[in-house]
């Protein structure tokens, strides 16, 4: 039945994706066989001509009596691939997968869908900010791609092509972080194709992604307060805020040259700790509630000139920390077209006032946008989304806190919002949330009873090099 439906769709709608036969495959993060296939879609859905190949992974429902409405997972970034979410199939989404197929699309320009890739240089972890910027610009120019065709809208149209080519009717969507923006765009372009949506770490339609200084400061303030309210943390780090401010102030005046053993190789090397690197690492750590509980120890150690722990964590969060990381040029293609043009001087001043995340950190992306040279995508007043939506937020999220979900909710007819008090950025894997996801998808019009979220504990603080407290 499904193959007949697929043949009919392809015959009647040649603009849909052309599928190459799928095959069993193994992907990192799981030991089981999945189904992988490639779909040929237009490079520009508004014009005939060039095409690109999308990589799609299907994880079949675990039960034979599967429902006919699959769950499509949309990764974040922008720059992450759907296949990066494969490890979550047997944890976060296992209850959902019991009765539904799960489909993961490597968004155009990511993963196995023609990744726009800038591999790290040999000295990426010790290079200066100017050297990293020059390296990125050279890579972008060398890619020689039509970056203006890697927008959220084009990616949303790819999703519809995949849905049609696989023979599905209405689908469910889970979007995390930037994936929540992509899901909203898809629901507005194809309202008849959406049964229900789950949005985690919600990006509001009017949110200007680089302008996140206010939210970052709120997350840092919350962490400082939690440490002050925790007897053990407060005893170990009684001057945490002042130590952080002293470090930030010192590095804002001039970089600090460090000579220390490389955390990975133990080879003595020189590292320039700049304000950009220090602030960027702190911001990155705040994304994860568990990771943020290491931050007081890292700040205190750095304040005492023991930089090794901080450098080790900083190396993980570098823009190009691994070859398998997010596609930075794809990230720029989206943000430079859809966000940066809306970052006015007034918004920048308002957002950064009183925040540790200042204009230099936020405007760094503008230097790379000059090289991308993509036209601005005009902002349009969002249409109302009719499908049921489950919004999820972490109260300690430094980039998409609950207020962003509430802003998005204004344009949704039927939405409910769950907040995890002890959660950071992306809360789907926490506590009872996987069960709630399944419950919502089974009955999307029924309000969830989510008292169990209050039982999710806060991680313990790390006090020394031995790691977090037991």
């Amino acid at each position: 039945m499904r193959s007949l439906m697929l043949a009919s769709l392809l015959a009647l709608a040649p603009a849909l994706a052309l599928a190459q036969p799928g095959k069993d495959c193994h992907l990192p993060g799981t030991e089981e066989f999945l189904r992988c296939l490639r779909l040929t879609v237009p490079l520009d859905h508004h014009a005939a001509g060039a095409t690109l190949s999308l990589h799609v992974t299907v994880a079949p429902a675990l039960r034979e009596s599967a429902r006919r409405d699959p769950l499509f997972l949309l990764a974040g970034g922008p720059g992450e691939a759907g296949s990066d979410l494969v490890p979550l199939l047997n944890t976060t989404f296992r209850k959902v997968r019991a009765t539904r197929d799960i489909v993961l699309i490597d968004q155009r320009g990511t993963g196995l869908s023609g990744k726009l890739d800038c591999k790290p240089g040999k000295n990426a972890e010790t290079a200066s900010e100017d050297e990293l910027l020059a390296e990125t610009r050279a890579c972008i120019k060398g890619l020689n791609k039509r970056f203006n065709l890697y927008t959220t809208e084009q990616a949303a149209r790819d999703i519809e092509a995949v849905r049609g080519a696989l023979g599905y009717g209405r689908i469910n969507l889970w979007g995390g972080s930037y994936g929540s923006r992509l899901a909203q765009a898809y629901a507005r372009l194809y309202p008849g194709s959406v049964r229900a949506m789950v949005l985690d770490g919600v990006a509001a339609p009017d949110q200007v992604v680089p302008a996140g200084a206010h939210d970052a400061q709120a997350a840092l303030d919350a962490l400082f307060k939690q440490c002050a309210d925790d007897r053990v943390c407060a005893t170990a780090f009684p001057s945490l805020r002042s130590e952080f401010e002293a470090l930030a102030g010192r590095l804002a005046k001039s970089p600090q040259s460090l000579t220390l053993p490389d955390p990975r190789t133990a080879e003595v090397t020189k590292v320039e700790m700049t304000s950009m690197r220090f602030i960027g690492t702190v911001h990155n750590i705040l994304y994860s509630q568990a990771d943020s509980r290491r931050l007081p120890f890292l700040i205190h150690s750095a304040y005492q000139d023991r930089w090794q722990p901080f450098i080790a964590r900083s190396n993980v969060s570098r823009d190009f920390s691994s070859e398998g990381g997010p596609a930075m040029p794809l990230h720029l293609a989206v943000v430079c077209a859809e966000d940066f043009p809306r970052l006015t001087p007034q918004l920048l001043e308002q957002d950064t006032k009183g925040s540790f995340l200042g204009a230099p950190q936020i405007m760094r992306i503008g230097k790379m946008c000059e090289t991308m040279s993509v036209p601005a995508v005009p902002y349009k007043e969002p249409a109302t989304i009719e499908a049921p939506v489950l919004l999820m937020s972490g109260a300690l999220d430094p980039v998409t806190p609950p207020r962003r979900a509430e802003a998005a909710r204004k344009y949704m007819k039927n939405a409910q919002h769950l907040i995890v008090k002890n959660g950071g950025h992306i809360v789907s894997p926490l506590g009872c949330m996987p069960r709630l996801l399944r419950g919502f998808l089974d009955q999307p019009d029924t309000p969830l009873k989510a008292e169990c979220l209050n039982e999710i504990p806060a991680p313990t603080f790390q006090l020394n090099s031995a790691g977090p407290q037991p």
Side-chain angles (χ1 to χ4, degrees), residues 384-390 412-416 440 444-446:
T384 298
I385 293 175
E386 301 285 337
V389 184
L390 175 62
M412 296 171 181
K413 185 176 181 180
N414 180 11
Q416 50 186 312
F440 170 76
D445 291 311
T446 302

Side-chain angles (χ1 to χ4, degrees), residues 17-33:
L18 300 176
Q20 298 178 13
K23 60 181 180 180
D24 289 342
C25 61
H26 280 297
L27 292 177
T30 182
E31 296 180 356
E32 67 175 302
F33 281 112

Side-chain angles (χ1 to χ4, degrees), residues 117-119 134-144 147 329:
D117 201 8
C118 285
K119 291 182 170 57
E135 189 177 281
T136 303
R137 284 174 165 171
C139 173
I140 290 170
K141 292 177 180 178
L143 290 173
N144 193 29
F147 294 117

Side-chain angles (χ1 to χ4, degrees), residues 298-351:
L298 298 178
I299 290 172
H300 183 67
S301 298
Y303 181 77
Q304 295 184 322
D305 283 328
R306 292 187 292 108
W307 280 95
Q308 288 91 331
F310 192 92
I311 294 294
R313 180 55 184 81
S314 177
N315 287 349
V316 175
S317 62
R318 298 295 287 176
D319 285 345
F320 308 110
S321 60
S322 67
E323 293 187 5
M328 177 57 68
L330 186 279
H331 179 94
L332 295 172
V334 174
V335 174
C336 292
E338 301 174 13
D339 294 276
F340 192 74
R342 295 188 286 135
L343 184 60
T344 63
Q346 294 80 7
L347 175 58
L348 181 65
E349 180 180 5
Q350 178 184 7
D351 182 55

